[in-house]
Amino acid sequence: MSNKELDVEAARKLVDDLSRQLAEAEKKGPKLNELRAEVETLRDILSGPNAQHSWIAERLAAIERVFEHAAVELLADGIKAGAYLAEIGRILGAR
């Protein structure tokens, strides 16, 4: 993946939006906790001075995997996986 294909600003917006959604989710199931951890890791990478596109892409892919494996549980907590999956794919240039 070339650097031009990864929209870092869109990744930041996604992290901000997803963080708000996760903060509003009342339950604390294992998949929600896993998703929270992945989002915070990506936030840390994005806020660092040397955020490499490969690191961002890896974390986005990890978040995508959590969504794919926990969509039903997350939907029950009000988190709509489909919209986030589409945005992650767009950011990664895969869809």
Side-chain angles (χ1 to χ4, degrees):
M1 166 182 303
S2 73
N3 288 347
K4 289 189 286 186
E5 293 178 26
L6 192 103
D7 186 343
V8 175
E9 190 55 38
R12 285 188 179 101
K13 289 177 184 176
L14 178 104
V15 165
D16 289 343
D17 185 49
L18 192 47
S19 292
R20 279 191 297 277
Q21 287 286 313
L22 289 168
E24 292 171 6
E26 295 179 11
K27 295 183 182 177
K28 301 225 183 263
K31 290 298 179 188
L32 272 174
N33 290 337
E34 182 180 358
L35 185 57
R36 283 183 180 107
E38 291 293 351
V39 169
E40 285 308 309
T41 299
L42 180 54
R43 181 186 297 285
D44 290 344
I45 290 169
L46 289 167
S47 66
N50 298 316
Q52 295 186 14
H53 286 229
S54 62
W55 300 347
I56 296 167
E58 287 172 12
R59 295 290 37 99
L60 284 169
I63 291 168
E64 186 176 45
R65 283 189 299 277
V66 173
F67 272 125
E68 288 171 346
H69 292 110
V72 173
E73 178 183 333
L74 296 171
L75 183 59
D77 291 314
I79 298 170
K80 296 183 171 86
Y84 288 109
L85 285 169
E87 181 63 7
I88 290 168
R90 189 193 68 71
I91 293 167
L92 293 174
R95 294 168 188 78

